[in-house]
Short mmCIF file of all heavy atoms in Angstrom, two decimals:
data_model
loop_
_atom_site.label_atom_id
_atom_site.label_comp_id
_atom_site.label_asym_id
_atom_site.label_seq_id
_atom_site.Cartn_x
_atom_site.Cartn_y
_atom_site.Cartn_z
N LEU A 20 -24.21 4.44 -4.34
CA LEU A 20 -23.08 4.38 -5.26
C LEU A 20 -21.78 4.16 -4.49
O LEU A 20 -20.95 3.34 -4.86
CB LEU A 20 -23.00 5.67 -6.09
CG LEU A 20 -21.83 5.81 -7.05
CD1 LEU A 20 -21.96 4.79 -8.19
CD2 LEU A 20 -21.76 7.21 -7.60
N VAL A 21 -21.62 4.89 -3.39
CA VAL A 21 -20.42 4.77 -2.58
C VAL A 21 -20.39 3.41 -1.88
O VAL A 21 -19.38 2.71 -1.90
CB VAL A 21 -20.33 5.91 -1.54
CG1 VAL A 21 -19.14 5.73 -0.62
CG2 VAL A 21 -20.28 7.26 -2.24
N LEU A 22 -21.49 3.02 -1.27
CA LEU A 22 -21.55 1.77 -0.53
C LEU A 22 -21.34 0.55 -1.42
O LEU A 22 -20.79 -0.46 -0.97
CB LEU A 22 -22.88 1.65 0.23
CG LEU A 22 -23.09 2.67 1.35
CD1 LEU A 22 -24.49 2.53 1.94
CD2 LEU A 22 -22.02 2.52 2.42
N SER A 23 -21.75 0.64 -2.66
CA SER A 23 -21.60 -0.50 -3.57
C SER A 23 -20.23 -0.53 -4.25
O SER A 23 -19.94 -1.44 -5.02
CB SER A 23 -22.71 -0.48 -4.63
OG SER A 23 -22.58 0.66 -5.45
N ASN A 24 -19.39 0.44 -3.96
CA ASN A 24 -18.06 0.51 -4.57
C ASN A 24 -16.98 0.62 -3.51
O ASN A 24 -16.09 1.46 -3.58
CB ASN A 24 -17.97 1.70 -5.53
CG ASN A 24 -18.63 1.40 -6.84
OD1 ASN A 24 -18.08 0.67 -7.64
ND2 ASN A 24 -19.81 1.96 -7.05
N LYS A 25 -17.01 -0.27 -2.54
CA LYS A 25 -16.00 -0.28 -1.48
C LYS A 25 -14.67 -0.77 -2.03
O LYS A 25 -14.62 -1.45 -3.05
CB LYS A 25 -16.45 -1.17 -0.33
CG LYS A 25 -17.63 -0.60 0.42
CD LYS A 25 -17.93 -1.40 1.64
CE LYS A 25 -19.07 -0.73 2.39
NZ LYS A 25 -19.31 -1.28 3.68
N ASN A 26 -13.61 -0.41 -1.32
CA ASN A 26 -12.27 -0.89 -1.68
C ASN A 26 -12.24 -2.41 -1.59
O ASN A 26 -12.88 -2.99 -0.71
CB ASN A 26 -11.22 -0.33 -0.72
CG ASN A 26 -10.68 0.98 -1.17
OD1 ASN A 26 -10.62 1.26 -2.35
ND2 ASN A 26 -10.27 1.79 -0.22
N PRO A 27 -11.44 -3.04 -2.45
CA PRO A 27 -11.27 -4.49 -2.29
C PRO A 27 -10.50 -4.74 -0.99
O PRO A 27 -9.79 -3.86 -0.50
CB PRO A 27 -10.42 -4.88 -3.50
CG PRO A 27 -9.73 -3.63 -3.90
CD PRO A 27 -10.64 -2.49 -3.53
N ASP A 28 -10.68 -5.91 -0.44
CA ASP A 28 -9.89 -6.25 0.75
C ASP A 28 -8.42 -6.06 0.42
O ASP A 28 -7.97 -6.41 -0.67
CB ASP A 28 -10.17 -7.68 1.19
CG ASP A 28 -11.57 -7.85 1.77
OD1 ASP A 28 -12.13 -6.85 2.27
OD2 ASP A 28 -12.10 -8.97 1.72
N ILE A 29 -7.69 -5.54 1.39
CA ILE A 29 -6.29 -5.20 1.15
C ILE A 29 -5.47 -6.41 0.72
O ILE A 29 -4.59 -6.29 -0.13
CB ILE A 29 -5.66 -4.50 2.39
CG1 ILE A 29 -4.27 -3.96 2.07
CG2 ILE A 29 -5.63 -5.41 3.58
CD1 ILE A 29 -4.24 -2.92 0.97
N HIS A 30 -5.78 -7.57 1.25
CA HIS A 30 -5.00 -8.76 0.87
C HIS A 30 -5.18 -9.11 -0.61
O HIS A 30 -4.27 -9.63 -1.24
CB HIS A 30 -5.32 -9.96 1.78
CG HIS A 30 -6.63 -10.59 1.52
ND1 HIS A 30 -7.82 -10.05 1.94
CD2 HIS A 30 -6.94 -11.74 0.86
CE1 HIS A 30 -8.82 -10.84 1.57
NE2 HIS A 30 -8.31 -11.86 0.91
N ILE A 31 -6.33 -8.77 -1.17
CA ILE A 31 -6.56 -9.02 -2.59
C ILE A 31 -5.64 -8.14 -3.42
O ILE A 31 -5.01 -8.61 -4.38
CB ILE A 31 -8.04 -8.79 -2.96
CG1 ILE A 31 -8.91 -9.85 -2.28
CG2 ILE A 31 -8.24 -8.81 -4.48
CD1 ILE A 31 -10.40 -9.60 -2.38
N LEU A 32 -5.54 -6.87 -3.05
CA LEU A 32 -4.66 -5.96 -3.77
C LEU A 32 -3.19 -6.36 -3.60
O LEU A 32 -2.42 -6.36 -4.57
CB LEU A 32 -4.88 -4.52 -3.31
CG LEU A 32 -4.10 -3.44 -4.05
CD1 LEU A 32 -4.38 -3.48 -5.55
CD2 LEU A 32 -4.44 -2.07 -3.48
N ILE A 33 -2.80 -6.72 -2.38
CA ILE A 33 -1.42 -7.16 -2.15
C ILE A 33 -1.11 -8.37 -3.02
O ILE A 33 -0.08 -8.42 -3.69
CB ILE A 33 -1.18 -7.49 -0.66
CG1 ILE A 33 -1.23 -6.21 0.20
CG2 ILE A 33 0.16 -8.21 -0.47
CD1 ILE A 33 -1.23 -6.47 1.70
N ASN A 34 -2.01 -9.33 -3.03
CA ASN A 34 -1.77 -10.55 -3.81
C ASN A 34 -1.79 -10.28 -5.31
O ASN A 34 -1.08 -10.95 -6.07
CB ASN A 34 -2.75 -11.64 -3.41
CG ASN A 34 -2.35 -12.29 -2.10
OD1 ASN A 34 -1.32 -12.94 -2.02
ND2 ASN A 34 -3.14 -12.07 -1.07
N LYS A 35 -2.55 -9.28 -5.74
CA LYS A 35 -2.53 -8.88 -7.15
C LYS A 35 -1.14 -8.37 -7.51
O LYS A 35 -0.56 -8.77 -8.52
CB LYS A 35 -3.58 -7.80 -7.40
CG LYS A 35 -3.56 -7.20 -8.78
CD LYS A 35 -4.60 -6.06 -8.87
CE LYS A 35 -4.47 -5.26 -10.12
NZ LYS A 35 -3.45 -4.23 -10.10
N TYR A 36 -0.59 -7.50 -6.66
CA TYR A 36 0.75 -6.98 -6.90
C TYR A 36 1.80 -8.09 -6.83
O TYR A 36 2.75 -8.11 -7.61
CB TYR A 36 1.09 -5.87 -5.91
CG TYR A 36 0.39 -4.55 -6.18
CD1 TYR A 36 -0.09 -3.78 -5.13
CD2 TYR A 36 0.22 -4.07 -7.47
CE1 TYR A 36 -0.72 -2.56 -5.36
CE2 TYR A 36 -0.41 -2.86 -7.70
CZ TYR A 36 -0.87 -2.10 -6.65
OH TYR A 36 -1.49 -0.90 -6.88
#
Side-chain angles (χ1 to χ4, degrees):
L20 177 68
V21 176
L22 294 175
S23 64
N24 282 285
K25 291 187 177 189
N26 271 330
D28 289 335
I29 188 62
H30 74 283
I31 293 171
L32 184 57
I33 292 171
N34 283 294
K35 173 184 170 279
Y36 286 141

